[in-house]
Amino acid sequence: MAATKKAVLGPLVGAVDQGTSSTRFLVFNSKTAELLSHHQVEIKQEFPKEGWVEQDPKEILLSVYECIEKTCEKLGQLNIDISNIKAIGVSNQRETTVVWDKLTGEPLYNAVVWLDLRTQSTVESLSKSIPVNNNFVKTKTGLPLSTYFSAVKLRWLLDNVRKVQKAVEEDRALFGTIDSWLIWSLTGGARGGVHCTDVTNASRTMLFNIHSLEWDKELCEFFKVPMKILPNIRSSSEIYGLMKAGSLEGVPISGCLGDQSAALVGQLCFQDGQAKNTYGTGCFLLCNTGHKCVFSEHGLLTTVAYKLGRDKPVYYALEGSVAIAGAVVRWLRDNLGIIKTSEEIEKLANEVGTSYGCYFVPAFSGLYAPYWEPSARGIICGLTQFTNKCHIAFAALEAVCFQTREILDAMNRDCGIPLSHLQVDGGMTNNKILMQLQADILYIPVVKPSMPETTALGAAMAAGAAEGVGVWSLEPEDLSAVTMERFEPQINAKESEIRYSTWKKAVMKSMDWATTKSSQNGDTGIFSSLPLGFFVVSSMVMLIGARYLSGVP
């Protein structure tokens, strides 16, 4: 029986999915795209000062090894031979910045996470150096100058961390986003590790020319970044190196995509005009624009979608980025304590079925697309004495949907042809209330694949299709059909518009809360000792009373 099972399975492909909140390793059947097994480990986030977000690069790396080993154990329990795993793909949180010592393999500072705001004063200073009539940064990168991207995070590390400065001076420093750190470490680290990145991750650094597909000398000079510390640029699908340790030693790492590009591939959005929205820590809507760069007039980013092979053409995408989606659920769990597990939010929201006029703008890291407003901060408004934790939970889910509506509207204006439906993926799509709310607020159907792990699937597809591996066909006729769950709008268009316009009023009230000083120094003037959200939570407690927050009638 076991032998028959192994024969049916055929070649397998593994995928590392390293996100902001967790790390996972998943194994797929390359012929059917069936998910066979996986393991997940939650990742800590550190907040040393207000607006600062860091992670431990070594913890991230160890979590990858743990997930690989645990998944291999699970495969063994299913009587599946791990020697069938022919390739590994890597998908990762983008923009998060790591600098490490190439001689010791030790990180020289914590990873500065994409959500981090400490570089706001750096951004404002650099903005003054860009000619009004020649924004060469945006022209070359497709990106607005923002705290979001890696170049300003790297600039901060070079300016403020002596260990980084010294390592650069002594030619020991290497820079990379999470994909580079993982691939270098997994392929040998200080003993011959491969220092590379792919075009999708490179396009999020603000040092990469999305037209020439190379590191750009003018951009590196503008940000004062030494080019010698940058990784080599590779396509998203080719053999980078071999695993040098663990149960999968000797298996090639042959796929690499930033998480949102991986989800685009996993959703099979290979045609011009196809789009997907991923609900993770943040929320990211990408639309494939084919071989042409489309520059947005409505606050979206132009980015590299994928390049699936050294000799294959590059594809571009328009992207709308929302900083806080799933992170708002984690905030309700970890900061307010009104839920014990992330899954509980669906139950709370279901108890009331409405926010009862309560609106939540989770601008914890400012607002990304379409505003690009770093001064915004989170607010909860429309509170009454009737408001309880169920209404706040519902408002948090609505906030994710309203933010998606904003970027979808911008994308429709840029593309000229409104989307007829929205393809969705990511961990939050398991929440049926969220998916129905999204359909209601967009007033178009929301379509979810039955297997929502499309980010990992995209990385596996890129790895399995790489030259020299060749176990996964990306020809349209060979791609497995995906079964979908469909959510249709259930409210009338007028009600949807009223709710959306009220949300927009709340967004306006969230603007201009933070100053450059608070972003830079991690304080808010005379209230520097108070935690983020103190004013919101304090007013909630005064208005609602502790018994309402605890759900007591």
Side-chain angles (χ1 to χ4, degrees), residues 257 261-270 425 449 453-459 461 482:
L257 290 154
S261 289
L264 195 73
V265 171
Q267 284 268 36
L268 310 184
C269 293
F270 292 125
D425 59 74
E453 304 295 353
T454 51
T455 300
L457 178 61
M461 290 166 66
V482 180

Side-chain angles (χ1 to χ4, degrees), residues 10-225:
L12 310 180
V13 180
V16 173
D17 181 3
Q18 205 299 298
T20 316
S21 302
S22 69
T23 298
R24 294 180 299 168
F25 185 68
L26 306 91
V27 174
F28 297 89
N29 182 331
S30 66
K31 300 304 179 190
T32 64
E34 178 192 359
L35 174 61
L36 300 176
S37 188
H38 75 284
H39 189 77
Q40 179 170 345
V41 173
E42 192 166 300
I43 297 293
K44 294 190 196 77
Q45 294 178 44
E46 299 175 23
F47 308 96
K49 297 183 183 180
E50 182 187 324
W52 291 32
V53 189
E54 297 179 1
Q55 291 179 322
D56 180 353
K58 291 177 77 172
E59 182 193 348
I60 290 173
L61 177 61
L62 289 171
S63 73
V64 170
Y65 279 120
E66 180 181 347
C67 287
I68 289 173
E69 295 306 314
K70 294 286 188 186
T71 304
C72 287
E73 286 176 21
K74 291 177 182 179
L75 289 171
Q77 290 163 9
L78 294 170
N79 209 20
I80 296 170
D81 190 342
I82 62 171
S83 67
N84 284 325
I85 298 174
K86 304 303 182 187
I88 296 168
V90 173
S91 169
N92 58 285
Q93 54 170 309
R94 303 171 302 169
E95 298 95 16
T96 297
T97 299
V98 187
V99 180
W100 67 94
D101 188 319
K102 67 182 179 185
L103 301 182
T104 66
E106 290 294 313
L108 297 166
Y109 191 80
N110 269 347
V112 181
V113 176
W114 57 278
L115 285 164
D116 190 279
L117 288 175
R118 76 187 68 187
T119 55
Q120 184 52 36
S121 60
T122 307
V123 168
E124 290 173 8
S125 174
L126 288 168
S127 296
K128 294 169 186 171
S129 308
I130 299 175
V132 176
N133 60 348
N134 176 26
N135 189 342
F136 67 95
V137 174
K138 188 163 188 182
T139 302
K140 290 184 173 194
T141 66
L143 310 173
L145 192 57
S146 166
T147 59
Y148 183 16
F149 307 107
S150 308
V152 288
K153 301 179 194 302
L154 178 54
R155 181 69 259 149
W156 187 91
L157 290 168
L158 291 165
D159 287 340
N160 293 280
V161 181
R162 180 58 193 147
K163 283 173 72 174
V164 171
Q165 295 164 353
K166 195 165 186 293
V168 171
E169 290 163 8
E170 296 174 0
D171 199 24
R172 292 183 287 110
L174 295 178
F175 153 80
T177 41
I178 293 296
D179 58 303
S180 297
W181 163 243
L182 292 180
I183 292 172
W184 183 83
S185 300
L186 295 173
T187 57
R191 295 182 298 281
V194 177
H195 188 215
C196 68
T197 190
D198 91 301
V199 290
T200 68
N201 282 295
S203 76
R204 313 297 292 190
T205 61
M206 239 180 194
L207 301 170
F208 179 77
N209 188 315
I210 60 173
H211 310 287
S212 66
L213 304 183
E214 296 173 332
W215 298 123
D216 190 281
K217 191 168 185 291
E218 184 182 17
L219 291 171
C220 289
E221 287 173 354
F222 177 70
F223 289 105
K224 296 187 175 63
V225 167

